[in-house]
Amino acid sequence: MAKIKSVYICQNCGAESPKWIGKCPACGEWNTYTEEIIRQEKSSKIVTNFLETNKQKPQLINLVEALGEKRIDTCSPEFNRVLGGGLVLGSLVLIGGEPGIGKSTLVLQIALNMAGKRILYISGEESAQQLKMRSERIGEMRSECYIVSETSLEQIFVHIKNTNPDLIIVDSIQTISTEMAESSPGSITQVRECSAALLRFAKESGIPIILIGHINKEGSIAGPKVLEHIVDTVLQFEGDRHYFYRMLRAHKNRFGSTDELAIFEMEQDGLREVSNPSELLLSQNHQGLSGVSVAATIEGVRPFLIEVQALVSTAAYGTPQRSATGFDSRRLNMLLAVLEKRAGFKLAQKDVFLNIAGGLRVNDTAIDLPVLVSVLSSSFDIAVSQGVCLTGEVGLSGEIRPVSRIEQRIAEAEKLGFTKILIPDFNFKQLNHKYTIEILRVKKIEEAFRVLFKKDK
Ligand code: TYD
Ligand code: MG
């Protein structure tokens, strides 16, 4: 029998230690070390493997033949876009997200929809019957989709050999285990070994693999950071539980941009793609209501308009509350400080609540100006007139800083029937076109308020 050795491994960063320690010296996390058993013979095997397979010679980069990436169409325009134009052959894609957000629904829906392709869906969490029930909710099958409930990596390779699929889906990587490692499924060694084996298989065979990964309480993909290094693409599926909108965002992509964003709506019969977010997010009529403004933002290459709502009220307790949905609360605090210091509005004794429509999280900094305008609109109880939208980043000295791709933002606002748009002064110089929408330029935050609220005062 092989000699068995145990080590303690940090479940956060993968650092090893011969004995248990409370605080990881590598990443500084507490209580992350767990005992794992490893076989001694492994290290010598790796060395010989390395010597055997390393037959390639270094070559000049100019002389390397460019093959171009071959991609397969997933039959979902939104999913394709986040991937950078489809699934690259031989790539390993990791989709992470909180439990119950809809990861299994998303991948099953894609699996059923890929017309003319053979797909192998391996689930370590649900039985074939449960998957069948789910697929009945989602709709008809256009592809040749095989499902199997399996947790052993060795058996998975047998299933792959028998079905010879065009795409493999593994739900989830934390439930799969291999005989090569002795520790329990979901532990760092298992996750690392299984994903490395799957990666090798994907690269050798050219079959793309989609992995589903759990998320830990801090919001990052559970298990080691190494998992994120191994895979080609990391997608995050997120959304607010109280809303039906879900976003798929690329965090890392070897074959495309990481700015892309896909929006889905969770319905009774699966996820529906939202190809025109602006119209959906602006459906409410808020004429005469204070605390609401419309932001012209860009996520990836797509501009969209979104409603920003704020509520400012007198703090009931000593410490005022600041809460933000869909917006970084530290950035909100910073913006409120700018408002207080540079523009002289006193908000220290006020509760401030901020909400981005639909629970969507927007990363674009051009939403700063609309956030401040909504806050002030609510604070003074003066509505921003309808037909006005805003875009602009706010700097620490209260200046309105330029935003990227201003023309696209203006065009989107014009398309949706807005009559006025507030843009940073600097951006105004870049404009070449004539627009029918009235363009107001602002340099400072006070100026923006004067422009917006002066007539009503
Ligand atoms: P699921 O895909 O199981 O989430 P995950 O795999 O990320 O844990 O999604 C489960 C949720 O989705 C569940 O709360 C019910 C909801 N749902 C719908 O609203 N409509 C549907 O058609 C399906 C299949 C699920
Ligand atoms: Mg699931």
Side-chain angles (χ1 to χ4, degrees), residues 44-60:
S44 59
K45 214 156 101 195
I46 291 169
V47 175
T48 50
N49 268 353
F50 174 73
L51 289 175
E52 275 165 25
T53 53
N54 197 11
K55 284 180 191 145
Q56 286 207 349
K57 286 201 189 83
Q59 45 182 328
L60 272 175

Side-chain angles (χ1 to χ4, degrees), residues 111-384:
L112 294 175
N113 228 334
M114 280 174 72
K117 294 277 188 291
R118 186 181 300 164
I119 288 132
L120 178 61
Y121 187 116
I122 299 143
S123 181
E125 303 191 339
E126 286 160 298
S127 66
Q129 280 71 32
Q130 283 173 312
L131 284 169
K132 169 75 184 160
M133 269 157 56
R134 192 193 284 269
S135 77
E136 275 171 355
R137 279 178 82 176
I138 292 174
E140 59 186 303
M141 178 168 103
R142 297 205 185 82
S143 63
E144 201 183 326
C145 182
Y146 292 91
I147 49 177
V148 60
S149 183
E150 184 63 70
T151 55
S152 149
L153 186 71
E154 284 73 21
Q155 280 302 310
I156 288 175
F157 283 123
V158 174
H159 295 313
I160 294 175
K161 205 165 154 236
N162 293 342
T163 44
N164 188 25
D166 297 306
L167 168 67
I168 302 159
I169 294 170
V170 179
D171 186 2
S172 64
I173 186 69
Q174 276 88 0
T175 56
I176 309 296
S177 62
T178 169
E179 287 161 17
M180 302 256 289
E182 300 270 308
S183 45
S184 55
S187 70
I188 195 158
T189 318
Q190 285 287 3
V191 168
R192 191 163 49 190
E193 291 293 322
C194 291
S195 42
L198 287 167
L199 178 80
R200 265 196 310 274
F201 176 78
K203 298 290 170 218
E204 277 162 19
S205 64
I207 305 174
I209 304 181
I210 298 180
L211 301 179
I212 298 213
H214 291 170
I215 250 179
N216 60 17
K217 57 182 186 301
E218 283 87 31
S220 59
I221 289 165
K225 264 270 180 256
V226 283
L227 187 55
E228 289 179 34
H229 290 299
I230 290 174
V231 300
D232 295 309
T233 305
V234 181
L235 304 179
Q236 193 93 15
F237 201 41
E238 56 193 26
D240 196 304
R241 279 173 165 279
H242 306 293
Y243 295 95
F244 298 109
Y245 298 113
R246 302 281 182 267
M247 284 171 295
L248 189 67
R249 222 183 261 277
H251 274 231
K252 161 183 171 179
N253 194 352
R254 289 199 179 131
F255 312 109
S257 149
T258 51
D259 298 328
E260 288 302 343
L261 170 76
I263 304 177
F264 296 90
E265 194 179 357
M266 183 60 98
E267 287 180 349
Q268 277 301 309
D269 49 356
L271 292 155
R272 191 177 66 80
E273 300 192 1
V274 178
S275 48
N276 196 349
S278 302
E279 281 170 17
L280 203 87
L281 297 168
L282 292 177
S283 52
Q284 249 99 51
N285 180 7
H286 51 79
Q287 185 152 30
L289 296 180
S290 65
V292 183
S293 71
V294 177
T297 63
I298 287 193
E299 285 285 330
V301 292
R302 190 168 50 173
F304 64 88
L305 302 192
I306 192 164
E307 227 175 75
V308 179
Q309 302 179 341
L311 179 71
V312 178
S313 64
T314 309
Y317 305 102
T319 327
Q321 295 185 61
R322 304 284 145 97
S323 126
T325 313
F327 192 74
D328 183 11
S329 49
R330 269 177 306 176
R331 189 149 185 103
L332 174 65
N333 282 335
M334 185 211 92
L335 290 174
L336 294 177
V338 170
L339 206 58
E340 178 130 9
K341 180 92 181 166
R342 305 287 172 195
F345 296 101
K346 297 276 173 269
L347 291 167
Q349 293 309 313
K350 306 272 188 188
D351 287 340
V352 179
F353 305 96
L354 189 77
N355 192 7
I356 311 289
L360 294 191
R361 191 165 60 78
V362 179
N363 285 341
D364 188 7
T365 48
I367 203 165
D368 288 354
L369 178 63
V371 165
L372 284 189
V373 165
S374 296
V375 167
L376 278 196
S377 161
S378 171
S379 176
F380 294 127
D381 204 13
I382 308 171
V384 178

